[in-house]
Short mmCIF file of all heavy atoms in Angstrom, two decimals:
data_model
loop_
_atom_site.label_atom_id
_atom_site.label_comp_id
_atom_site.label_asym_id
_atom_site.label_seq_id
_atom_site.Cartn_x
_atom_site.Cartn_y
_atom_site.Cartn_z
N PHE A 1090 -8.76 26.93 -48.20
CA PHE A 1090 -7.87 27.51 -49.20
C PHE A 1090 -6.56 26.73 -49.31
O PHE A 1090 -5.96 26.66 -50.38
CB PHE A 1090 -7.56 28.97 -48.85
CG PHE A 1090 -8.78 29.85 -48.93
CD1 PHE A 1090 -9.43 30.24 -47.77
CD2 PHE A 1090 -9.29 30.25 -50.15
CE1 PHE A 1090 -10.56 31.03 -47.83
CE2 PHE A 1090 -10.43 31.04 -50.22
CZ PHE A 1090 -11.07 31.43 -49.06
N VAL A 1091 -6.13 26.15 -48.21
CA VAL A 1091 -4.87 25.42 -48.22
C VAL A 1091 -5.01 24.06 -48.92
O VAL A 1091 -4.07 23.61 -49.58
CB VAL A 1091 -4.34 25.24 -46.78
CG1 VAL A 1091 -3.16 24.30 -46.72
CG2 VAL A 1091 -3.96 26.58 -46.19
N ALA A 1092 -6.15 23.44 -48.81
CA ALA A 1092 -6.35 22.10 -49.40
C ALA A 1092 -6.09 22.08 -50.90
O ALA A 1092 -5.32 21.24 -51.38
CB ALA A 1092 -7.75 21.59 -49.07
N PRO A 1093 -6.69 22.99 -51.69
CA PRO A 1093 -6.39 22.96 -53.14
C PRO A 1093 -4.92 23.28 -53.44
O PRO A 1093 -4.34 22.72 -54.37
CB PRO A 1093 -7.29 24.02 -53.75
CG PRO A 1093 -8.25 24.43 -52.70
CD PRO A 1093 -7.72 23.96 -51.40
N LEU A 1094 -4.33 24.16 -52.66
CA LEU A 1094 -2.91 24.48 -52.87
C LEU A 1094 -2.02 23.28 -52.58
O LEU A 1094 -1.02 23.05 -53.27
CB LEU A 1094 -2.50 25.67 -51.99
CG LEU A 1094 -3.15 27.00 -52.35
CD1 LEU A 1094 -2.77 28.07 -51.34
CD2 LEU A 1094 -2.76 27.43 -53.75
N THR A 1095 -2.41 22.49 -51.59
CA THR A 1095 -1.66 21.28 -51.28
C THR A 1095 -1.77 20.28 -52.42
O THR A 1095 -0.77 19.66 -52.81
CB THR A 1095 -2.18 20.66 -49.97
OG1 THR A 1095 -2.06 21.62 -48.92
CG2 THR A 1095 -1.40 19.41 -49.61
N VAL A 1096 -2.95 20.11 -52.96
CA VAL A 1096 -3.15 19.19 -54.08
C VAL A 1096 -2.35 19.64 -55.30
O VAL A 1096 -1.69 18.83 -55.96
CB VAL A 1096 -4.66 19.05 -54.42
CG1 VAL A 1096 -4.86 18.29 -55.71
CG2 VAL A 1096 -5.40 18.39 -53.28
N ILE A 1097 -2.37 20.92 -55.58
CA ILE A 1097 -1.60 21.46 -56.71
C ILE A 1097 -0.11 21.22 -56.51
O ILE A 1097 0.60 20.82 -57.43
CB ILE A 1097 -1.90 22.96 -56.91
CG1 ILE A 1097 -3.32 23.13 -57.44
CG2 ILE A 1097 -0.90 23.61 -57.86
CD1 ILE A 1097 -3.82 24.57 -57.42
N THR A 1098 0.35 21.44 -55.28
CA THR A 1098 1.76 21.21 -54.97
C THR A 1098 2.12 19.73 -55.16
O THR A 1098 3.17 19.42 -55.75
CB THR A 1098 2.07 21.64 -53.53
OG1 THR A 1098 1.78 23.03 -53.39
CG2 THR A 1098 3.53 21.40 -53.18
N LEU A 1099 1.27 18.84 -54.68
CA LEU A 1099 1.55 17.41 -54.83
C LEU A 1099 1.54 16.97 -56.28
O LEU A 1099 2.35 16.13 -56.69
CB LEU A 1099 0.53 16.60 -54.04
CG LEU A 1099 0.66 16.66 -52.52
CD1 LEU A 1099 -0.51 15.94 -51.86
CD2 LEU A 1099 1.97 16.06 -52.07
N LEU A 1100 0.66 17.54 -57.07
CA LEU A 1100 0.55 17.12 -58.47
C LEU A 1100 1.64 17.71 -59.37
O LEU A 1100 2.15 17.03 -60.26
CB LEU A 1100 -0.82 17.51 -59.03
CG LEU A 1100 -2.01 16.75 -58.46
CD1 LEU A 1100 -3.32 17.32 -59.03
CD2 LEU A 1100 -1.91 15.27 -58.77
N PHE A 1101 1.99 18.97 -59.15
CA PHE A 1101 2.85 19.65 -60.11
C PHE A 1101 4.22 20.09 -59.58
O PHE A 1101 5.14 20.31 -60.36
CB PHE A 1101 2.13 20.88 -60.66
CG PHE A 1101 0.83 20.55 -61.33
CD1 PHE A 1101 -0.36 20.91 -60.74
CD2 PHE A 1101 0.80 19.87 -62.54
CE1 PHE A 1101 -1.57 20.60 -61.34
CE2 PHE A 1101 -0.40 19.55 -63.15
CZ PHE A 1101 -1.59 19.92 -62.55
N LEU A 1102 4.37 20.23 -58.29
CA LEU A 1102 5.61 20.79 -57.76
C LEU A 1102 6.44 19.81 -56.94
O LEU A 1102 7.44 20.19 -56.35
CB LEU A 1102 5.29 22.02 -56.90
CG LEU A 1102 4.54 23.14 -57.62
CD1 LEU A 1102 4.19 24.26 -56.65
CD2 LEU A 1102 5.36 23.68 -58.77
N THR A 1103 6.03 18.56 -56.90
CA THR A 1103 6.76 17.56 -56.11
C THR A 1103 8.20 17.43 -56.57
O THR A 1103 9.10 17.24 -55.76
CB THR A 1103 6.04 16.20 -56.19
OG1 THR A 1103 4.70 16.37 -55.78
CG2 THR A 1103 6.70 15.18 -55.29
N GLY A 1104 8.42 17.55 -57.85
CA GLY A 1104 9.78 17.43 -58.39
C GLY A 1104 10.74 18.45 -57.82
O GLY A 1104 11.94 18.18 -57.70
N LEU A 1105 10.24 19.62 -57.44
CA LEU A 1105 11.11 20.65 -56.87
C LEU A 1105 11.61 20.25 -55.48
O LEU A 1105 12.70 20.65 -55.07
CB LEU A 1105 10.36 21.98 -56.78
CG LEU A 1105 9.93 22.60 -58.09
CD1 LEU A 1105 9.08 23.84 -57.83
CD2 LEU A 1105 11.15 22.96 -58.92
N PHE A 1106 10.82 19.47 -54.76
CA PHE A 1106 11.18 19.08 -53.40
C PHE A 1106 11.88 17.73 -53.34
O PHE A 1106 12.45 17.37 -52.32
CB PHE A 1106 9.92 19.02 -52.52
CG PHE A 1106 9.19 20.31 -52.45
CD1 PHE A 1106 7.96 20.46 -53.07
CD2 PHE A 1106 9.72 21.39 -51.77
CE1 PHE A 1106 7.27 21.66 -53.01
CE2 PHE A 1106 9.05 22.60 -51.71
CZ PHE A 1106 7.82 22.72 -52.33
N GLU A 1107 11.87 17.03 -54.43
CA GLU A 1107 12.36 15.65 -54.49
C GLU A 1107 13.83 15.52 -54.11
O GLU A 1107 14.23 14.60 -53.40
CB GLU A 1107 12.15 15.17 -55.92
CG GLU A 1107 12.17 13.71 -56.12
CD GLU A 1107 11.67 13.41 -57.53
OE1 GLU A 1107 12.28 13.89 -58.51
OE2 GLU A 1107 10.66 12.72 -57.63
N LYS A 1108 14.64 16.44 -54.57
CA LYS A 1108 16.09 16.30 -54.38
C LYS A 1108 16.63 17.12 -53.21
O LYS A 1108 17.83 17.14 -52.98
CB LYS A 1108 16.81 16.69 -55.66
CG LYS A 1108 16.47 15.75 -56.80
CD LYS A 1108 17.19 16.09 -58.06
CE LYS A 1108 16.75 15.11 -59.14
NZ LYS A 1108 17.40 15.33 -60.40
N LEU A 1109 15.73 17.78 -52.49
CA LEU A 1109 16.18 18.53 -51.32
C LEU A 1109 16.53 17.58 -50.19
O LEU A 1109 15.82 16.61 -49.94
CB LEU A 1109 15.08 19.48 -50.83
CG LEU A 1109 14.81 20.71 -51.66
CD1 LEU A 1109 13.62 21.47 -51.08
CD2 LEU A 1109 16.02 21.61 -51.71
N PRO A 1110 17.62 17.85 -49.47
CA PRO A 1110 17.94 17.01 -48.32
C PRO A 1110 16.86 17.16 -47.24
O PRO A 1110 16.22 18.20 -47.13
CB PRO A 1110 19.27 17.58 -47.82
CG PRO A 1110 19.79 18.42 -48.93
CD PRO A 1110 18.63 18.86 -49.74
N GLU A 1111 16.68 16.12 -46.44
CA GLU A 1111 15.67 16.16 -45.39
C GLU A 1111 15.96 17.27 -44.38
O GLU A 1111 15.04 17.82 -43.79
CB GLU A 1111 15.58 14.82 -44.68
CG GLU A 1111 14.92 13.75 -45.53
CD GLU A 1111 14.75 12.45 -44.79
OE1 GLU A 1111 14.83 12.43 -43.55
OE2 GLU A 1111 14.54 11.43 -45.47
N ALA A 1112 17.23 17.60 -44.20
CA ALA A 1112 17.59 18.66 -43.25
C ALA A 1112 17.03 20.01 -43.70
O ALA A 1112 16.63 20.83 -42.87
CB ALA A 1112 19.11 18.75 -43.11
N VAL A 1113 16.97 20.25 -44.99
CA VAL A 1113 16.41 21.50 -45.50
C VAL A 1113 14.91 21.55 -45.22
O VAL A 1113 14.38 22.57 -44.77
CB VAL A 1113 16.67 21.64 -47.02
CG1 VAL A 1113 15.92 22.82 -47.60
CG2 VAL A 1113 18.15 21.75 -47.30
N LEU A 1114 14.22 20.45 -45.47
CA LEU A 1114 12.79 20.40 -45.20
C LEU A 1114 12.51 20.53 -43.70
O LEU A 1114 11.55 21.20 -43.30
CB LEU A 1114 12.19 19.10 -45.75
CG LEU A 1114 12.34 18.93 -47.27
CD1 LEU A 1114 11.85 17.56 -47.69
CD2 LEU A 1114 11.63 20.02 -48.01
N ALA A 1115 13.35 19.92 -42.88
CA ALA A 1115 13.20 20.06 -41.43
C ALA A 1115 13.44 21.50 -41.00
O ALA A 1115 12.76 22.01 -40.10
CB ALA A 1115 14.17 19.13 -40.71
N GLY A 1116 14.37 22.17 -41.64
CA GLY A 1116 14.64 23.58 -41.34
C GLY A 1116 13.45 24.46 -41.62
O GLY A 1116 13.18 25.42 -40.90
N VAL A 1117 12.70 24.14 -42.67
CA VAL A 1117 11.50 24.91 -43.00
C VAL A 1117 10.47 24.76 -41.88
O VAL A 1117 9.86 25.74 -41.45
CB VAL A 1117 10.91 24.46 -44.35
CG1 VAL A 1117 9.56 25.06 -44.60
CG2 VAL A 1117 11.87 24.79 -45.48
#
């Protein structure tokens, strides 16, 4: 179930994560 969600995220939602600082992603 996670695999298709990961592909969807990579294809369509990458822009949302693009400008986040690495510290925010590390915090997650």
